[in-house]
Amino acid sequence: MEYSPILHNLHVVPSSHVKNKLFVFCIMLSLWVYMIYCCVGYCSTVPNLTYRSVNRHENDSEIDNQDSSVGASRDLLNNENDLDSRGDEWDEIRGEAKALDDNAMSGFLNDSESKKLPQAIIIGVKKGGTRALLEFLRLHPDIRAVGAEPHFFDRNYDKGLEWYRELMPKSSEGQLTMEKTPSYYVTKEVPARIYTMSKDTKLIVVVRDPVTRAISDYTQTRSKKPDIPSFESLTFKNISAGLIDTTWSAVQIGMYAKHLERWLQYFPTEQLLFVSGERLISDPAGEMARVQDFLGLRRVVTEKHFHFNPAKGFPCLKRPEGNSKPHCLGKTKGRTHPNIDPEVVQRLRDFYKPYNRKFYRMTGHDFGWD
């Protein structure tokens, strides 16, 4: 048989070509298997983080089932740890879980995040607007705040600072860690305890007209206990004598000057910021400018973040870069107040007048409640 170069080439070249293809295919297959392995290992960690975050907040909200007392106040009708705050806290827990998902990648890439004790605390007052302020502040990228009220300094102090630290969200260098527990302002042991943690802690107090605050406090309680006595009967020790019952916490909380005296024994006035609950509604951007300045932050939260909701009577939040629907506080906020006897309201105003004037002098600000 005659030798043919053409047949020889046809035999050799295809064999070499197939070997090259198989070699490339094996390399590509190995790379794909490695990438799938890495992705599965990475993604499996994300749900665990989210679950731990939500589970931690479940524990946080359980804290709020414990009883509290404000000095010697008669607080049997005003359990702060009701479904109002718990409902709002669960909204925040869902929000924090979503934020964790959104920032999961950056969290993995940034090992510098850690849990820190709060450098600023919203210490009061109940029904003053603390929830609204916290929600407004959480829009700021340099603030990390725990949603549920820890009640560390008034109810859980014996658990220690490490327990408290573990409740805080992780934050990076340059971010401010915060919490809010409104009962701190009226609890006598708290100023010394916060001072012991850090004498540099910045303190924020949201206050409003004490008469309106007391009625709001009563309205919240009545929404869950419809059979409680009337506001008028609870306000007075003796209706005929017109003696105000200052042991009722709804009345006692509004004696702002009395509580402030305790705080000034430990902290200078420059370390406390008094936010107007009324202005937080009528001019949220203006009040937020004061808060951000006090905390040493850039003025990031401005008028473009607010949308007034006439149905609820207070501003809702919106993200200026998107077209999403504004986010309002829960349905437990903005309840309609019951009609109170005008004479009772006037007697309360007369009762609070000397406390208000002293409070104005102590803070250097006239809130215009009289």
Side-chain angles (χ1 to χ4, degrees), residues 15-267:
S15 176
S16 175
H17 186 64
V18 169
K19 286 181 179 179
N20 289 339
K21 280 190 172 182
L22 284 172
F23 180 72
V24 172
F25 176 77
C26 289
I27 292 175
M28 292 179 66
L29 182 61
S30 299
L31 288 171
W32 276 107
V33 170
Y34 179 75
M35 289 174 66
I36 291 171
Y37 173 79
C38 292
C39 287
V40 170
Y42 167 78
C43 293
S44 66
T45 62
V46 175
N48 291 337
L49 280 174
T50 306
Y51 172 77
R52 282 198 297 270
S53 174
V54 174
N55 189 52
R56 172 171 58 81
H57 282 293
E58 288 177 346
N59 293 335
D60 292 350
S61 63
E62 287 175 7
I63 295 170
D64 288 345
N65 288 326
Q66 303 172 28
D67 293 333
S68 70
S69 61
V70 183
S73 66
R74 177 166 55 85
D75 204 21
L76 299 177
L77 300 172
N78 285 281
N79 184 5
E80 250 185 282
N81 314 303
D82 50 39
L83 295 178
D84 275 8
S85 57
R86 292 171 70 93
D88 289 336
E89 286 162 13
W90 275 110
D91 287 342
E92 291 166 7
I93 291 166
R94 287 193 291 270
E96 287 180 10
K98 182 180 184 303
L100 180 59
D101 288 336
D102 292 342
N103 297 314
M105 181 67 79
S106 62
F108 277 104
L109 298 176
N110 185 2
D111 294 331
S112 65
E113 288 196 340
S114 61
K115 293 184 177 183
K116 304 177 182 68
L117 292 170
Q119 297 103 325
I121 304 176
I122 301 173
I123 58 173
V125 296
K126 181 185 177 186
K127 307 310 293 180
T130 58
R131 175 63 57 193
L133 178 61
L134 185 70
E135 288 297 305
F136 297 169
L137 282 169
R138 283 157 70 97
L139 291 173
H140 202 293
D142 294 336
I143 287 182
R144 298 301 309 277
V146 62
E149 296 173 5
H151 284 281
F152 172 67
F153 293 104
D154 58 348
R155 303 179 198 163
N156 297 291
Y157 194 63
D158 60 331
K159 295 183 179 179
L161 284 174
E162 284 308 308
W163 177 88
Y164 185 44
R165 189 198 305 271
E166 279 302 305
L167 300 182
M168 299 300 123
K170 285 188 175 182
S171 61
S172 58
E173 191 67 30
Q175 288 184 316
L176 199 68
T177 302
M178 293 189 66
E179 70 116 317
K180 79 110 177 166
T181 303
S183 55
Y184 287 166
Y185 186 67
V186 297
T187 306
K188 62 181 181 180
E189 298 87 1
V190 171
R193 290 173 175 178
I194 293 180
Y195 183 86
T196 300
M197 177 189 74
S198 173
K199 60 184 176 59
D200 298 319
T201 307
K202 293 188 176 182
L203 308 168
I204 300 176
V205 190
V206 188
V207 291
R208 68 192 287 200
D209 182 334
V211 177
T212 309
R213 198 222 64 82
I215 296 172
S216 179
D217 200 335
Y218 172 80
T219 303
Q220 175 180 302
T221 304
R222 196 179 71 163
S223 69
K224 286 165 288 298
K225 301 175 182 177
D227 57 341
I228 64 170
S230 68
F231 179 85
E232 291 83 353
S233 62
L234 290 169
T235 300
F236 296 101
K237 284 182 179 178
N238 186 315
I239 296 180
S240 59
L243 293 175
I244 303 292
D245 187 353
T246 57
T247 65
W248 184 30
S249 69
V251 170
Q252 189 185 81
I253 290 172
M255 300 159 66
Y256 302 137
K258 177 182 176 183
H259 307 300
L260 180 55
E261 288 174 346
R262 284 196 298 266
W263 289 92
L264 293 181
Q265 292 175 18
Y266 294 91
F267 298 94

